[in-house]
């Protein structure tokens, strides 16, 4: 494979996953790429690169095939006895004591591989909390390698995974299955495995609920494979999801010379250095410091420039802004408008083709535009806003068209892409709710209804959906509460007002319907 082409693959892998491919691994990567090219019956590696570069369900599925080939999944139970002792004697007891009133703990194994680490955390908590079953304990276990996650969910391990475990402990928490050992149900119950890309993804549970208020994040032997810029990105994300006084534990010496470590307070123990999110928001202090520095620099520049120089500078900046605005207005919109027309005419297949064509052209334009701006060392909000608005429209249209064709997996994929652009858009969550209803996914519909109500407390259809689910679950008290809330909202509206997301239904129609359910509402 040509050196320039392998470099493009390496750059794309870094952008997608954060992984840094070492020089000595180039030949091995080239062989794996050729293997995938042959498996997909593609004409050449360039065609494979083009496939991976697209933002489609097909590309998403292929990344799931490639990632296991370029990642390491070595793990075992109670790995790194020094850090395990620190968790057992210091960190976990402190967190347990601080959460004793709420009896709630959220721990996250980021880069969980085949599951040994999160199951180790579950075992440690069982050992440290006598009334463990009465606690609300969430152990999140995420990895970008879907093959590793499948093994983790199965919970079946060879004797090699227990090389640091006493036989007594193994016999207590695992059941023998032939030559292997399976995790017991109680230990497995508190661990939730799901696929998550630390670099690319917004940190959501699979039901699009944000990951937040985490007490402890363990991310060991992950950053050693990452390029520095992506480590900094992930550290910032970890900071944002941690509770104040929450902890981050990494592998030894993985975070040396990282800029964003200043967000945390480093705590040094004989066993390891760990990081704690402080109660005072150091980010705000840092931003205030940067603002003061910028003001100082502007004042100095203002004093140095003569009035004629200022005039020239301002004129050039205005010209650049006008040129940029003109150039932005020329961004190809034809295929997106065509896609909308085809969708309106219920020609969903052609609408999908046109929307995907728009995204390819649009993304290519924006990449070129961003490179040009970077060379000029300027950033404008116009390009960012244009990217967000038009990309969201395209992804949402693709999701609608796919759902109308009954392609729910593809529709969900496009919904997720839209949410990454605008996580507050009610439209996307309503579409996901519709998909959950069509698939008779009661749990998913409930979570999405709650998410919609959280974002828009006046959302009448979401209250009605949630009430209906509670009725099916025979939870009539909660159902009545939801129906009453919907009824109060409806009575505050004009009777003839159409209810959004309930085509052809007015406020008065729903009031009559709900008042007929007085037996349920009044219970």
């Amino acid at each position: 494979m040509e050196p320039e082409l392998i470099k493009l693959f390496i750059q794309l892998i870094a952008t997608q996953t954060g992984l840094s491919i070492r020089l000595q691994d180039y030949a091995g990567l080239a062989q794996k790429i050729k293997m995938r090219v042959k498996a997909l019956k593609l004409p050449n590696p360039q065609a494979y690169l083009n496939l991976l570069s697209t933002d489609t369900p097909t590309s998403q599925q292929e990344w799931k095939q490639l990632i296991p080939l370029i990642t390491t999944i070595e793990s075992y139970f109670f790995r790194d006895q020094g850090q395990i002792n620190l968790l057992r004697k210091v960190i976990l007891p402190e967190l347990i004591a601080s959460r004793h009133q709420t009896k709630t703990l959220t721990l996250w194994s980021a880069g969980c591989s085949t599951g040994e680490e999160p199951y180790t955390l579950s075992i440690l908590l069982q050992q440290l909390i006598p009334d463990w079953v009465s606690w609300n304990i969430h152990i999140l276990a995420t990895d970008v390698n879907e093959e590793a996650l499948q093994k983790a969910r199965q919970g079946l391990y060879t004797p090699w995974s227990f090389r640091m475990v006493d036989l007594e402990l193994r016999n207590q928490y695992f059941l023998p299955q032939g030559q292997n050992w399976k995790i017991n149900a109680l230990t497995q119950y508190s661990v939730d495995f799901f696929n998550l890309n630390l670099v690319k993804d917004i940190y959501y549970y699979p039901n699009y609920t944000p990951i937040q208020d985490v007490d402890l994040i363990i991310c060991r032997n992950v950053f050693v494979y990452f390029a520095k810029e992506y480590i900094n990105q992930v550290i910032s994300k970890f900071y944002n999801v941690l509770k104040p006084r929450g902890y981050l534990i990494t592998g030894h010496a993985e975070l040396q010379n990282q800029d964003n470590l200043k967000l945390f307070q480093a705590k040094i123990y004989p066993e390891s250095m760990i990081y704690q999110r402080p109660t005072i928001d150091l980010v705000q202090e840092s931003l205030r410091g940067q603002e003061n520095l910028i003001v100082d620099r502007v004042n100095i520049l203002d004093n140095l420039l003569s009035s004629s120089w200022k005039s020239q500078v301002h004129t050039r900046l205005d010209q650049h802004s006008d040129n940029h605005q003109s150039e932005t207005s020329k961004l190809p919109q034809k295929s997106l408008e065509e896609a909308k027309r085809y969708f309106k005419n219920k020609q969903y297949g052609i609408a999908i083709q046109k929307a995907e064509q728009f995204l390819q052209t649009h993304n290519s334009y924006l990449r070129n535009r961003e490179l040009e701006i970077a060379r000029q060392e300027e950033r404008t909000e116009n390009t960012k806003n244009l990217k967000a608005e038009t990309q969201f429209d395209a992804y949402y249209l693709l999701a609608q068209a796919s759902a109308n064709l009954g392609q729910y997996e593809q529709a969900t994929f496009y919904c997720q892409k839209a949410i990454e652009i605008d996580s507050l858009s009610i439209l996307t969550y309503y579409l996901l709710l519709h998909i959950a209803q069509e698939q008779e996914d009661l749990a998913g519909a409930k979570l999405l209804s709650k998410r919609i109500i959280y974002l828009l407390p006046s959302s009448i259809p979401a209250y009605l959906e949630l009430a209906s689910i509670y009725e099916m679950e025979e939870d009539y008290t909660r159902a009545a509460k939801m129906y009453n809330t919907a009824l109060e909202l409806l009575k505050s509206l004009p009777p003839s007002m159409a209810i959004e997301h309930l085509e052809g239904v007015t406020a008065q129609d729903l009031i009559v319907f709900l008042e007929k359910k007085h037996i349920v509402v009044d219970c």
Side-chain angles (χ1 to χ4, degrees), residues 54-69:
T54 60
D55 201 357
T56 63
T58 303
S59 175
Q60 186 94 340
Q61 289 301 317
E62 181 52 31
W63 276 106
K64 290 181 180 180
Q65 298 297 320
L66 179 61
I67 284 172
L69 300 177

Side-chain angles (χ1 to χ4, degrees), residues 1 7 32 76 85 162 170 173 216 233 308 311 335 346 367 404 413 415-416 437-438 444 483:
M1 190 182 303
K7 286 179 182 178
K32 292 167 185 174
Y76 52 90
N85 288 335
F162 300 95
R170 186 190 65 181
Y173 295 99
L216 169 67
Q233 287 181 24
S308 61
S311 176
S335 52
K346 298 185 179 181
R367 281 195 296 271
N404 288 346
F413 168 82
C415 282
Q416 185 174 2
Q437 291 168 333
E438 289 294 317
Y483 280 129

Side-chain angles (χ1 to χ4, degrees), residues 241-454:
V241 303
L242 276 171
K243 282 183 179 178
R245 301 188 65 79
Y247 286 104
L248 169 64
I249 297 180
T250 68
H252 301 288
E254 281 190 89
L255 296 186
Q256 289 183 346
N257 303 318
Q258 294 298 321
D259 299 334
N260 285 349
L261 279 181
K262 61 188 177 184
L263 300 172
F264 293 87
Q265 291 177 342
K267 304 189 79 171
I268 302 174
Y269 295 91
E271 298 88 349
S272 182
M273 178 184 289
I274 63 174
Y275 306 93
Q276 185 175 39
R277 173 171 174 165
T279 52
I280 300 173
D281 196 339
L282 296 182
V283 173
Q284 294 300 322
E285 290 188 357
S286 173
L287 288 174
R288 283 195 293 270
Q290 291 178 24
E291 288 170 2
N292 293 335
L293 180 61
I294 291 168
V295 170
D296 290 342
R297 288 178 177 173
V298 168
N299 289 336
I300 292 170
L301 183 62
D302 196 54
N303 291 331
L304 287 174
L305 289 174
S306 65
S307 58
S308 61
W309 273 93
K310 290 179 192 176
S311 176
Q312 292 178 39
V313 170
H314 291 159
T315 300
R316 289 175 183 175
L317 287 175
D318 290 342
Q319 288 173 350
H320 172 78
S321 177
D322 291 342
N323 291 339
H324 170 68
Q325 192 69 28
S326 175
E327 187 177 343
T328 300
S329 67
K330 296 177 184 177
L331 182 68
Q333 299 285 335
K334 184 179 178 181
S335 52
L336 181 58
E337 294 305 320
E338 287 179 337
K340 290 179 179 179
R341 287 197 297 272
Y342 281 118
F343 179 84
K344 190 175 181 180
N345 293 329
K346 298 185 179 181
Q347 293 176 276
Y348 303 126
I350 302 176
I352 289 171
Q353 292 177 8
K354 292 294 181 182
E356 288 180 341
Q357 179 184 341
F358 164 78
L359 281 170
Q360 290 176 359
T361 306
H362 182 71
N363 290 340
S364 175
Y365 168 85
L366 288 170
R367 281 195 296 271
N368 293 335
R369 180 64 193 152
E370 287 168 357
L371 286 172
E372 179 187 340
I373 292 172
R375 285 196 295 269
Q376 296 172 352
E377 297 184 349
E378 295 176 1
R379 293 276 177 192
T380 68
E381 289 301 315
N382 293 333
T383 298
K384 294 178 183 178
N385 293 338
L386 179 66
K387 178 179 181 179
E389 291 171 9
T390 53
Q391 279 195 320
F392 177 87
D393 287 347
Y395 281 125
Y396 180 61
L397 187 146
L398 284 165
Q400 284 182 297
S402 298
N404 288 346
L405 291 171
Q407 298 169 355
Y408 296 128
E409 185 176 350
Q410 188 165 315
T412 301
F413 168 82
Y414 286 126
C415 282
Q416 185 174 2
K417 303 303 295 184
I419 287 169
E420 288 175 7
I421 296 167
D422 184 359
S423 61
L424 302 180
S425 171
I426 298 296
L427 292 172
T428 319
Y429 294 106
Y430 266 120
L431 182 53
L432 286 168
L433 177 58
H434 168 73
I435 292 169
Q437 291 168 333
E438 289 294 317
Q439 296 183 312
E440 299 182 357
D441 178 8
L442 207 64
K446 182 192 287 188
L447 288 166
L448 286 161
S449 298
K450 289 180 179 179
R451 177 65 174 162
I452 292 168
I453 291 168
Y454 173 78

Side-chain angles (χ1 to χ4, degrees), residues 169-181:
L169 185 144
R170 186 190 65 181
N171 294 337
Q172 182 177 356
Y173 295 99
F174 296 83
L175 302 172
Q177 280 199 4
Q179 299 298 314
N180 299 324
W181 294 82

Side-chain angles (χ1 to χ4, degrees), residues 27 36-37 55 71 102 132 143 211 230 233 264 288 313 357 406 411 421 436 442 449 472 516:
R36 292 306 304 158
V37 169
D55 201 357
T71 52
T102 61
W132 184 77
D143 204 282
I211 296 174
Y230 298 107
Q233 287 181 24
F264 293 87
R288 283 195 293 270
V313 170
Q357 179 184 341
I421 296 167
L442 207 64
S449 298
M472 286 186 278
K516 286 181 179 178

